Amino acid sequence: MARGKLRIYLGAAPGVGKTYAMLSEAHRRVERGTDLVVAFVEHHGRPRTEVMLHGLEQIRRRELAYRGAVFTEMDVDAVRERRPAVALVDELAHTNVPGSRNGKRWQDIEELLEAGIDVISTVNIQHLESLGDVVESITGVRQRETVPDEIVRRADQIELVDMSPQAIRRRMAHGNIYQSDKVDAALSNYFRPGNLTALRELALLWVADRVDEYLQEYRAEHSIRSTWQARERIVVGLTGGPEGRTLIRRAARVAAKGSGSEVLAVYIARSDGLTSASPKELAVQRTLVEDLGGTFHHVIGEDVPSALLEFARGVNATQIVLGSSRRKAWQYVFGPGVGATVARESGPDLDVHIVTHEEVARGRGLPVPRGARLGRARIIAGWVVGVVGPALLSLLLTGLANGPGLANDVLLFLFLTVVAALLGGQLPALASAAVGSLLLNFYFTPPTHTLTVSDPKNIVAIVIFFAVAVSVASVVDLAARRTHQAARLRAESEILSFLAGSVLRGETTLDALLERVRETFGMETVALLERAGDVEPWTCAGRAGAGHGKPLLRPEDADVDMPVGDHMALALTGRVLPAEDRRVLAAFAAQAAVVLDRQRLVGEAERARELAEGNRIRTALLAAVSHDLRTPLASIKASVTSLRSDDVAWSQEDEAELLAGIEAGADRLDHLVGNLLDMSRLQTGTVTPLIRDLDLDEVVPMALGGVPEGSVTLDIPEELPIVAVDPGLLERSVANLVENAVKYSPDGTAVLVSASALGDRVELRIADRGPGVPDSAKDRIFEPFQRYGDAPRGAGVGLGLAVARGFAEAMGGTLAAEDTPGGGMTMVLTLRATPGGPPARPDLPARATT
């Protein structure tokens, strides 16, 4: 059965029209004859959206009872049984009511897709899991309902529903988004113009990145190598020299001129490892480019200009930034340099910027040899010098009336042999020695023009010449081999050092490691494949891979595969690697297996921690139910039984006392159950604060209703700044803190509740004169089901402080315990002050006492 396709309407904020656009698409498909149903769409009381549901078949929702109320959720089984071609499922990030089969709605959608049903859904940018911290920093609100980015990225189609901040605020003011009683609060909080503009930019950039991924995949599938200038990408070529910082900053300034531009710094290392780059300087430049929002890449290439251009075209770059050459004028005899070569071969699709710097023409030292991989050009040059050179030298010397003499002739031929060895290696040198010996014998050793040598001294000279030439060729070839080996070892150690450094820097994700493998060896696609057994099919380990080529299904389909154990292999496509590169590849493969194991162990440890925490909570809950909850129930049961007894004639005073006991037990039971439910909400992450601006004196006095009169003294200055809190959560937190303080305070001693401003914060302090808590136990008292010291069993289940801290952190505040001067404990609740809050009226009293 083919998997269904997922289409997502993505918006920057509530009210941009995602659901309306989805329903409009539904009507278009129905008109075309598509079998479509509404599996779950929430119109939130918006008339225009509700009208769009008319004419569409709707699947009956499933009803679930939770905390005394009835909620409706999508009935996945009913949709699968109906089996439409397309299903509309609103609010992708929605958290299902406890008791549902799946915890999240996107998991319900996955079931529909696996059943072959196409799904159209909606989601806001603030609900993407990776953007939670960014959205919180923008809006001040932490989104509790999130969806993994991978779920959205895997969608077959993502459509951005865009609307300007001004248009959204107009829709809000007209009552098209929220009810009229919520409009003012929304416009002054979440729907501020700055918030909406930032969220809109975030959505546009996220969709642009997704479009860029589609573009890269399309270019890879169609083997398109030319640059498409759809987005500015600036590649900075680094040499490891001190000019690199100047180039990076220059590229960052160029990128800042265009919105959405991207900077990629790349260091090209030759495969022989002979380079003048400073590892320390490269580390500094890497940190600099990452601080400026760019990325750093390390690539190995035989020819630096070609490797740089290949990298730039591979990432669809539009500009290349290079520094002016540091070589001195005389060093240009060895070639035009990297900058000139890149500029000449870049073509019309790449702009090359040559940036001047302080190191221009200061020299880079003598050019270094490139090792034993001489290349075709050098080998041909060696054969030309070794074979053609002696013939030309013979013509030159025979044309002279008085030659330099046999001894000098031998030295000249020996010089050509040494040059042939330096250029082409051993074989051209041996050929040069043989040809030179014959030419010396034929043209310069009497009798000339014959191969006969009459003087024994000349025979010795020719033999010595041949022996010296062969020896020089052997020594040069051996030196080249040793140089190549040293260069290879240096290159390998540099790569392995870089690999170890990436692990130390925290780059331990499997995707990042595989991308590093692809860049290092210049491959198209890299994947870590594994299988459960010898006959099981291969799968992509951890769903990780790098590159944009065709997905790898088996190691046999790859150009290079490196086994890792019996049931795992690192597969690469793009080219066949030489044998000497496989040693480094084996190190990468082993590290990839370690990273995969680490990721799985971390996941298992997290699941084990959650299970252990759940078991601890269940054990404590059973203990609470067995005693703390049964105690008030037993008291209520005894009082009710006594009142209903016909054997005793109770007086009005006795009945009032029994009823008071029932009421006290019920209140206590209600308090215990409320704390249990609050802790359950905190554990499941379903607490969503509704932040608003208010004065502390609007909430704190209401939190004192459950304590005896006269047991608390308030000291709340009227000139305190406005705080940004959820009134309900703040009231519950303060009530729990005050109740706990009153419980442990000596009789006749009032608990002091005071507040003060400190910078951008407001501190609410609840101080008691009880026995206090040692420093070693101050953090432990905030854990669920913890009661310090010899607190009696009837003192509660130990959830009050845990709930208070959980609610405080949900509002963006903190809760800590301190010692009260003179004895006791002080709870310090720190809240965020609203910038620019109204000043206090000077005619109001500074404090109020109750």
Side-chain angles (χ1 to χ4, degrees):
M1 180 184 301
R3 177 182 170 87
K5 295 183 178 181
L6 175 61
R7 178 173 181 172
I8 294 177
Y9 286 91
L10 176 68
V16 297
K18 302 180 303 300
T19 305
Y20 191 92
M22 178 179 66
L23 293 174
S24 299
E25 174 65 19
H27 281 285
R28 285 192 292 270
R29 296 199 181 196
V30 170
E31 290 174 0
R32 295 196 300 265
T34 304
D35 182 16
L36 181 144
V37 300
V38 177
F40 189 98
V41 170
E42 187 63 63
H43 56 74
H44 297 289
R46 299 166 188 170
R48 296 185 179 181
T49 305
E50 185 176 3
V51 169
M52 293 295 293
L53 286 169
H54 297 168
L56 299 177
E57 178 185 350
Q58 300 187 43
I59 300 296
R60 184 179 179 85
R61 301 181 184 182
R62 181 185 178 190
E63 295 185 350
L64 294 170
Y66 178 67
R67 298 185 66 175
V70 177
F71 299 88
T72 60
E73 295 287 359
M74 179 176 64
D75 193 335
V76 179
D77 294 330
V79 178
R80 296 184 62 176
E81 183 179 354
R82 169 63 175 77
R83 194 168 182 76
V86 181
L88 304 186
V89 184
D90 204 5
E91 298 179 356
L92 179 67
H94 172 74
T95 300
N96 292 331
V97 174
S100 303
R101 179 163 56 193
N102 297 313
K104 292 285 189 176
R105 183 163 293 164
W106 64 262
Q107 295 172 324
D108 296 338
I109 292 176
E110 283 291 312
E111 289 193 27
L112 299 182
L113 294 174
E114 292 296 334
I117 301 173
D118 293 348
V119 176
I120 304 178
S121 187
T122 63
V123 70
N124 283 328
I125 192 68
Q126 64 263 31
H127 293 299
L128 295 184
E129 197 169 73
S130 65
L131 301 178
D133 295 337
V134 179
V135 173
E136 183 179 11
S137 66
I138 294 172
T139 64
V141 178
R142 182 69 179 184
Q143 297 295 331
R144 299 297 178 182
E145 292 188 329
T146 60
V147 58
D149 288 42
E150 183 62 24
I151 300 300
V152 182
R153 288 184 178 274
R154 288 207 310 263
D156 299 275
Q157 185 175 350
I158 299 175
E159 183 170 335
L160 177 65
V161 182
D162 188 30
M163 182 176 290
S164 68
Q166 294 77 11
I168 296 177
R169 287 174 61 84
R170 282 197 302 269
R171 293 194 64 195
M172 175 70 70
H174 294 160
N176 295 330
I177 300 178
Y178 291 156
Q179 298 296 327
S180 58
D181 57 338
K182 300 180 180 179
V183 170
D184 291 338
L187 290 176
S188 60
N189 290 278
Y190 193 89
F191 285 82
R192 291 195 297 265
N195 289 358
L196 296 176
T197 302
L199 291 174
R200 186 189 189 195
E201 182 181 15
L202 200 63
L204 291 171
L205 291 176
W206 194 92
V207 173
D209 289 337
R210 184 67 182 124
V211 171
D212 187 64
E213 293 178 10
Y214 284 132
L215 179 61
Q216 294 291 351
E217 293 175 3
Y218 180 85
R219 285 165 50 85
E221 291 174 358
H222 294 79
S223 301
I224 299 173
R225 306 300 299 169
S226 61
T227 301
W228 288 0
Q229 299 186 5
R231 180 180 181 184
E232 289 292 338
R233 277 192 178 84
I234 304 170
V235 171
V236 185
L238 302 178
T239 64
E243 78 281 359
R245 305 183 201 180
T246 302
L247 302 184
I248 293 171
R249 293 190 180 97
R250 175 63 174 169
R253 291 196 297 271
V254 174
K257 296 179 181 179
S259 179
S261 299
E262 186 178 357
V263 176
L264 302 92
V266 57
Y267 168 63
I268 309 291
R270 290 191 175 98
S271 60
D272 58 15
L274 296 176
T275 175
S276 58
S278 167
K280 182 179 179 180
E281 182 64 28
L282 280 178
V284 172
Q285 294 174 13
R286 176 190 181 96
T287 303
L288 176 61
V289 72
E290 291 177 349
D291 290 342
L292 294 175
T295 56
F296 184 90
H297 304 266
H298 183 277
V299 178
I300 291 181
E302 295 294 335
D303 184 65
V304 173
S306 300
L308 180 60
L309 289 170
E310 183 72 16
F311 175 83
R313 293 191 175 103
V315 299
N316 199 28
T318 57
Q319 302 181 52
I320 297 178
V321 175
L322 299 173
S324 297
S325 178
R326 288 186 283 132
R327 296 190 297 177
K328 294 183 179 297
W330 64 268
Q331 290 179 311
Y332 281 96
V333 299
F334 298 102
V338 174
T341 304
V342 170
R344 184 181 67 246
E345 300 179 0
S346 61
D349 53 352
L350 274 172
D351 296 334
V352 180
H353 302 265
I354 304 297
V355 179
T356 59
H357 49 84
E358 296 179 353
E359 303 295 325
V360 174
R362 291 193 176 182
R364 299 181 55 183
L366 293 175
V368 296
R370 302 178 92 183
R373 290 186 176 180
L374 302 175
R376 180 178 298 179
R378 288 190 58 174
I379 293 176
I380 293 176
W383 280 102
V384 170
V385 173
V387 177
V388 180
L392 296 177
L393 180 61
S394 298
L395 292 176
L396 177 63
L397 294 178
T398 55
L400 298 176
N402 295 317
L406 181 60
N408 292 326
D409 293 340
V410 170
L411 291 177
L412 291 174
F413 277 93
L414 182 60
F415 173 75
L416 290 178
T417 302
V418 172
V419 173
L422 292 174
L423 289 175
Q426 187 174 25
L427 291 180
L430 294 177
S432 178
V435 173
S437 299
L438 292 175
L439 293 177
L440 281 172
N441 186 5
F442 189 81
Y443 287 105
F444 306 105
T445 305
T448 58
H449 300 94
T450 65
L451 295 179
T452 304
V453 182
S454 58
D455 190 348
K457 295 181 181 179
N458 295 335
I459 296 177
V460 173
I462 293 175
V463 171
I464 291 176
F465 162 76
F466 186 80
V468 170
V470 171
S471 300
V472 169
S474 300
V475 170
V476 171
D477 183 72
L478 180 62
R481 290 177 183 274
R482 293 292 184 264
T483 301
H484 173 65
Q485 293 175 359
R488 285 295 307 176
L489 292 175
R490 179 172 176 177
E492 291 177 7
S493 63
E494 180 183 348
I495 295 173
L496 295 177
S497 175
F498 187 83
L499 176 62
S502 66
V503 175
L504 293 176
R505 287 190 298 271
E507 299 176 0
T508 55
T509 62
L510 190 57
D511 285 325
L513 182 62
L514 296 183
E515 179 64 24
R516 189 67 60 194
V517 173
R518 189 188 69 82
E519 291 181 355
T520 299
F521 296 99
M523 307 301 284
E524 293 181 358
T525 305
V526 180
L528 185 63
L529 304 178
E530 65 174 348
R531 59 180 178 180
D534 295 333
V535 297
E536 297 296 327
W538 290 91
T539 59
C540 190
R543 295 184 178 180
H548 304 287
K550 183 179 180 180
L552 291 171
L553 302 178
R554 300 180 305 167
E556 295 81 5
D557 299 333
D559 295 321
V560 180
D561 68 284
M562 175 59 64
V564 187
D566 296 332
H567 303 107
M568 189 176 295
L570 185 64
L572 306 91
T573 61
R575 63 188 178 93
V576 178
L577 291 179
E580 55 265 30
D581 286 343
R582 294 183 65 88
R583 179 167 51 184
V584 180
L585 183 61
F588 273 107
Q591 182 64 30
V594 170
V595 170
L596 179 63
D597 290 341
R598 184 186 298 115
Q599 288 182 352
R600 290 175 174 172
L601 288 175
V602 168
E604 292 177 1
E606 180 63 22
R607 288 191 293 271
R609 187 195 64 78
E610 293 176 355
L611 290 175
E613 180 67 16
N615 288 334
R616 189 181 70 82
I617 295 294
R618 281 192 292 271
T619 302
L621 181 59
L622 288 175
V625 172
S626 64
H627 188 281
D628 296 288
L629 296 182
R630 291 180 63 183
T631 299
L633 284 175
S635 174
I636 294 172
K637 176 67 174 177
S639 298
V640 172
T641 302
S642 299
L643 288 173
R644 296 188 62 186
S645 175
D646 297 332
D647 299 336
V648 180
W650 302 103
S651 64
Q652 291 184 354
E653 291 78 7
D654 293 335
E655 289 184 357
E657 184 179 353
L658 291 174
L659 290 174
I662 293 174
E663 184 178 11
D667 290 341
R668 180 180 165 195
L669 186 61
D670 177 70
H671 181 71
L672 293 175
V673 172
N675 274 340
L676 288 172
L677 294 177
D678 288 338
M679 180 52 59
S680 175
R681 293 169 60 202
L682 290 171
Q683 293 287 339
T684 57
T686 57
V687 176
T688 305
L690 300 176
I691 305 296
R692 51 171 292 195
D693 298 339
L694 49 78
D695 291 317
L696 279 180
D697 55 8
E698 296 181 32
V699 178
V700 175
M702 293 188 296
L704 308 181
V707 297
E709 186 176 356
S711 61
V712 176
T713 299
L714 282 180
D715 184 6
I716 310 292
E718 293 291 343
E719 64 270 13
L720 282 178
I722 302 296
V723 292
V725 294
D726 182 307
L729 298 185
L730 177 60
E731 180 181 348
R732 189 60 182 272
S733 298
V734 175
N736 282 355
L737 295 175
V738 171
E739 179 186 352
N740 185 78
V742 171
K743 182 190 306 179
Y744 289 99
S745 292
D747 293 338
T749 303
V751 172
L752 176 62
V753 178
S754 61
S756 60
L758 182 63
D760 60 346
R761 297 171 296 157
V762 172
E763 288 187 349
L764 184 67
R765 310 176 75 88
I766 297 95
D768 63 57
R769 293 295 179 179
V773 174
D775 293 339
S776 59
K778 280 187 171 63
D779 285 334
R780 194 168 66 249
I781 61 176
F782 292 104
E783 296 179 3
F785 300 103
Q786 294 292 324
R787 291 181 297 187
Y788 177 72
D790 57 352
R793 293 295 299 177
V797 294
L799 285 176
L801 296 182
V803 170
R805 171 174 276 190
F807 284 170
E809 293 176 348
M811 295 183 293
T814 60
L815 178 62
E818 298 179 356
D819 291 330
T820 302
M825 185 171 64
T826 299
M827 292 293 176
V828 182
L829 178 60
T830 304
L831 304 170
R832 291 183 294 117
T834 301
R841 290 173 51 188
D843 56 333
L844 293 179
R847 65 183 60 184
T849 303
T850 180

